[in-house]
Amino acid sequence: VGKRGRQIIEEILNTGADLIALQEITPRFYQEQLQKLPQYPYSEYGKYTDEEEGLAILSRYPFSDSTFLHMDEKYANSCALNVLFCADDIRISITDVHLPWDSARVKEEQIVAIDRFCRERREKADYFIVLGDFNCGINSSVHRFMTGEQTLNGNEAKPYWYEVSGVYAAVKGRALAPTLDCINNPRWKGKEATYAPENFDRIYVMDVRNGYRFDRVELFGTKVDPESGLCASDHYGVAAEIGFLKHANQA
């Protein structure tokens, strides 16, 4: 990976995040670099059966469980990696997602399966987060399904999900910034831009009565390296600082 690998790691460390979810990670990059970061002593990785890449989650907190949905036909062999962990006595479920770019039908099948996976495990966590590269925008059936605005094949997301960037932008009176920016991201320079700038990378939090607050939501990975002339990735990342409240039945 070379210089790009160092650039990716620099962006990761600059976020100061407790947990990092990554897509399109090769086994070699995970094993030789990401898994050795002392700032993130806990990690999980899932490699796709038909590709030389997969999903990685890095964490400052130990995991109590992990599931790679790609290995399970029950969950449509979804490109998703789930981990459970506990922070300040709050149980949290994180599902890292990378939906396929080339099939709306498969995207819909997988997001329904991912939502079902989370709902079937409601007793295992207090809060559920689904995040990653959805390869579709906020006008897509995937986003409308997650936010409770439409059904897919007779299925509905109930409870539905809040999309963090959109909520935060609305509260702050800002425009929603694109994460796939074919105009300004130099990784697209010289290539035919087939996409208008769009918000492909998102963070969803399941609606729960106990509530939470979004203290900060911003893009990262937008910095252009002066040596390479490139950003760390062809997509920008989304960083969010979310405050969770303990459930009433917790001490």
Side-chain angles (χ1 to χ4, degrees):
V1 180
K3 294 178 181 178
R4 185 188 172 208
R6 291 194 293 272
Q7 192 175 358
I8 291 171
I9 289 174
E10 180 181 319
E11 289 287 355
I12 289 173
L13 298 181
N14 284 343
T15 67
D18 290 328
L19 185 139
I20 298 284
L22 301 164
Q23 304 85 42
E24 297 186 353
I25 299 299
T26 65
R28 179 178 177 182
F29 184 54
Y30 171 71
Q31 294 165 4
E32 294 184 359
Q33 299 197 51
L34 297 177
Q35 201 173 24
K36 296 180 180 179
L37 291 175
Q39 297 88 344
Y40 296 99
Y42 309 101
S43 64
E44 286 289 341
Y45 180 77
K47 178 185 174 297
Y48 304 139
T49 55
D50 54 350
E51 298 179 46
E52 194 57 30
E53 64 179 41
L55 300 168
I57 298 179
L58 314 178
S59 175
R60 301 185 192 275
Y61 297 96
F63 303 132
S64 60
D65 191 23
S66 67
T67 305
F68 189 36
L69 278 67
H70 185 64
M71 307 306 293
D72 196 336
E73 290 185 9
K74 177 183 177 182
Y75 299 111
N77 298 113
S78 296
C79 300
L81 174 64
N82 173 267
V83 296
L84 300 175
F85 67 97
C86 189
D88 299 325
D89 296 324
I90 298 175
R91 302 172 303 161
I92 300 174
S93 165
I94 299 281
T95 305
D96 184 13
V97 171
H98 188 195
L99 298 184
W101 64 272
D102 57 349
S103 173
R105 177 184 61 81
V106 176
K107 274 196 282 274
E108 291 181 349
E109 289 176 352
Q110 292 195 7
I111 199 62
V112 167
I114 292 164
D115 171 70
R116 186 175 74 251
F117 171 86
C118 292
R119 287 187 287 109
E120 288 176 354
R121 285 155 177 75
R122 287 293 304 276
E123 77 285 353
K124 292 182 177 291
D126 304 309
Y127 292 93
F128 289 80
I129 297 173
V130 172
L131 75 175
D133 178 2
F134 293 84
N135 267 314
C136 54
I138 60 173
N139 293 318
S140 66
S141 58
V142 167
H143 178 72
R144 294 196 301 270
F145 170 77
M146 290 291 279
T147 54
E149 296 176 5
Q150 80 163 69
T151 60
L152 286 178
N153 299 320
N155 300 283
E156 64 176 335
K158 189 176 183 180
Y160 57 83
W161 304 75
Y162 288 117
E163 195 279 307
V164 170
S165 295
V167 172
Y168 191 78
V171 169
K172 296 296 182 180
R174 303 172 183 171
L176 181 61
T179 63
L180 176 64
D181 190 347
C182 297
I183 296 176
N184 298 300
N185 189 324
R187 288 193 171 273
W188 293 92
K189 187 176 181 180
K191 300 180 180 179
E192 182 180 358
T194 56
Y195 294 103
E198 184 59 272
N199 184 262
F200 271 23
D201 305 83
R202 301 188 290 273
I203 301 172
Y204 293 92
V205 182
M206 185 184 285
D207 178 37
V208 292
R209 291 184 180 275
N210 291 75
Y212 38 77
R213 64 181 187 275
F214 304 146
D215 294 327
R216 177 177 60 91
V217 182
E218 61 189 21
L219 298 185
F220 70 98
T222 60
K223 177 183 176 182
V224 178
D225 180 74
E227 187 175 346
S228 68
L230 298 173
C231 296
S233 173
D234 58 343
H235 289 223
Y236 303 140
V238 181
E241 186 176 341
I242 305 173
F244 294 104
L245 303 177
K246 292 184 179 181
H247 279 220
N249 61 357
Q250 290 182 300

